[in-house]
Amino acid sequence: MISQFELEETIEPGLRYTEETTRLVRNLPMRDCFLWRAGVAEPISGINVLAFRQRFGALSIAAEGIGGVETIPAFRRQGYVSKLMLKALEHMAKRVPVAFLSHAIDDLYEKFGFVSCLAQARLSVQVRNIEQLANYNLEASSAQMRSFSQADLPAMVALYNQVHAKRPWTHERHAAWDGLLATQTWHPGSEVIIHERDQRVAGYAILDEPQYGQHVTTLAIDELSACDIGAAQALLIELARRCWQMRISEFLVREPLDSLIGKAAQRFGCEYHQTFPRSGGMMGAILDRQQLLLALEPELRRRLPHSDLHLVHAAAFDALCRGEIIPDNRDLLRLLIGYWSISDVDPYNTSILAEYQHITEAWFPGGGSQLLPIPYAHKLDRY
């Protein structure tokens, strides 16, 4: 009998595992992974696996992300999620060397090798700071701002990829990307402000439409990209103007501190908030250490500041692949992504040979350095 699924395996008597690519999410393939119990018409447990490219600095590599983990009520707390996860990760490891989670449950995924490796961050900007320092009439509208049209999306995608090209964790957006939220009944969609200069998109801001009947006390910006510091300042001024009209005293921007937006906000005066979760949040797991490091070898070489370290790179890289340096894959992922620098690694839980101390410091400078920006996942790319 020919299976209707791309993959079908018997895990144990009466329990089957299947995989099937069923749809595209933002033009990316989504794979459904299910457990089937004999005598039950529907899957008893399932997860979705999304394929994408994930950045580790200037280089993006193939990765997959897990989401939508669910077991039907009658079969919960019987170990089926563990069986499903182990089997799904087994097959993911045959396709990609690393896996990620956008929204992980606390104290669940650690048992499968996942570790929290991204901080949540946001900028808080006071409207009065911009009003005082920009010498700008917030009652006036800006001729450089206009409404969004679907024709703007390719230029927005190109700008996003340009300004975040070397940012770890960032998804590289394809030309047909459209992650904007659609307006639905009782669910506000995305509102986009376009900053235009010389008939070209110089920047944009994406925020949630105001929900009907809700009193807004803080304006939250999901994404803000600009081609230069002037465009960044212009967008911040426009957002302050909108807040002034709504009688809101501050707005929040979900952008990293070392972005152009972050630098412009610092000029006006702002607060920066980072949350480092103990568990859960955004997590990752190395599925194949050797393949991941081979894919990232050019990126590690790029991080070397001078030729002397290039002379020892080959020997040190071989030691890293063998696990003689940074044997714990959880530590290694945090270092590769820039969540940690080498100084953050517990010396009692890892091994850094003295002869490789300098090169590991160069490989793993931590996010926020000139070679490695702060890791950041934009809200509209989370799944």
Side-chain angles (χ1 to χ4, degrees):
M1 179 178 177
I2 300 176
S3 173
Q4 62 175 314
F5 302 103
E6 296 174 22
L7 174 67
E8 185 170 6
E9 292 183 4
T10 298
I11 295 180
E12 59 188 48
L15 187 65
R16 292 181 299 133
Y17 172 81
T18 65
E19 286 190 7
E20 183 181 18
T21 303
T22 56
R23 61 194 182 280
L24 294 178
V25 176
R26 305 185 187 123
N27 277 357
L28 299 173
M30 176 73 81
R31 182 181 296 266
D32 291 332
C33 306
F34 292 129
L35 287 185
W36 301 79
R37 171 59 68 187
V40 182
E42 62 178 324
I44 63 169
S45 189
I47 65 172
N48 306 125
V49 176
L50 185 68
F52 48 77
R53 296 190 69 81
Q54 188 89 313
R55 285 200 173 274
F56 285 77
L59 194 65
S60 63
I61 65 170
E64 290 186 351
I66 290 175
V69 182
E70 186 177 14
T71 300
I72 61 177
F75 293 91
R76 290 174 184 168
R77 300 187 181 278
Q78 298 178 42
Y80 287 113
V81 165
S82 291
K83 294 175 191 261
L84 177 64
M85 282 289 298
L86 290 172
K87 183 55 68 172
L89 289 170
E90 174 189 326
H91 288 286
M92 289 171 68
K94 297 175 183 178
R95 299 186 295 266
V96 296
V98 63
F100 292 95
L101 289 154
S102 274
H103 303 283
I105 301 170
D106 290 355
D107 301 318
L108 173 61
Y109 293 98
E110 284 87 347
K111 67 180 75 173
F112 304 109
F114 284 84
V115 63
S116 296
C117 50
L118 188 73
Q120 296 276 15
R122 70 184 189 277
L123 292 155
S124 173
V125 184
Q126 296 291 323
V127 172
R128 66 175 180 271
N129 290 348
I130 293 180
E131 187 175 24
Q132 292 170 357
L133 297 178
N135 193 25
Y136 186 81
N137 181 5
L138 295 182
E139 291 186 83
S141 62
S142 172
Q144 294 179 306
M145 304 296 163
R146 63 168 175 82
S147 300
F148 161 82
S149 74
Q150 289 293 123
D152 291 318
L153 274 174
M156 290 169 59
V157 169
L159 178 59
Y160 174 90
N161 287 337
Q162 172 191 334
V163 300
H164 293 296
K166 295 182 180 180
R167 188 170 299 285
W169 196 285
T170 302
H171 292 187
E172 187 175 9
R173 291 180 179 171
H174 53 84
W177 177 92
D178 183 0
L180 301 179
L181 303 176
T183 302
Q184 302 177 41
T185 304
W186 306 117
H187 291 283
S190 296
E191 180 185 358
V192 182
I193 303 169
I194 297 294
H195 173 46
E196 191 172 64
R197 184 194 298 159
D198 299 326
Q199 298 183 327
R200 300 181 65 181
V201 175
Y204 65 85
I206 302 175
L207 52 153
D208 288 342
E209 294 175 323
Q211 189 165 354
Y212 179 76
Q214 184 182 47
H215 177 62
V216 178
T217 57
T218 302
L219 194 65
I221 317 304
D222 291 336
E223 185 171 304
L224 200 56
S225 293
C227 66
D228 54 37
I229 197 71
Q233 289 180 324
L235 282 162
L236 291 174
I237 290 171
E238 171 64 16
L239 292 167
R241 186 185 70 83
R242 290 195 169 211
C243 288
W244 189 91
Q245 292 177 334
M246 300 167 69
R247 300 299 185 262
I248 298 173
S249 62
E250 69 169 355
F251 58 95
L252 302 179
V253 182
R254 296 185 177 98
E255 288 290 334
L257 187 63
D258 62 348
S259 65
L260 282 170
I261 300 299
K263 293 175 181 177
Q266 290 176 65
R267 291 186 179 187
F268 287 127
C270 68
E271 293 181 4
Y272 187 61
H273 307 268
Q274 276 191 301
T275 303
F276 298 87
R278 176 193 58 81
S279 175
M282 297 189 192
M283 306 184 79
I286 293 176
L287 305 179
D288 188 320
R289 181 188 181 104
Q290 185 83 4
Q291 290 303 314
L292 177 63
L293 287 173
L294 287 174
L296 292 178
E297 191 273 341
E299 167 64 12
L300 292 179
R301 189 182 291 274
R302 181 191 72 89
R303 300 177 188 180
L304 300 181
H306 51 76
S307 58
D308 290 348
L309 290 178
H310 284 272
L311 298 176
V312 298
H313 173 84
F317 182 75
D318 287 343
L320 185 66
C321 290
R322 292 192 302 268
E324 295 173 16
I325 304 174
I326 320 294
D328 191 321
N329 280 347
R330 296 165 299 181
D331 289 349
L332 178 60
L333 183 59
R334 284 174 156 170
L335 291 166
L336 289 168
I337 209 77
Y339 183 77
W340 277 359
S341 70
I342 195 67
S343 62
D344 296 315
V345 179
D346 185 346
Y348 296 103
N349 293 331
T350 190
S351 172
I352 304 173
L353 305 181
E355 60 185 306
Y356 299 133
Q357 182 70 37
H358 293 305
I359 196 168
T360 56
E361 290 173 353
W363 278 342
F364 310 123
S369 62
Q370 184 175 3
L371 284 170
L372 199 64
I374 295 172
Y376 194 81
H378 283 79
K379 182 181 177 182
L380 297 177
D381 288 325
R382 300 177 194 177
Y383 51 90

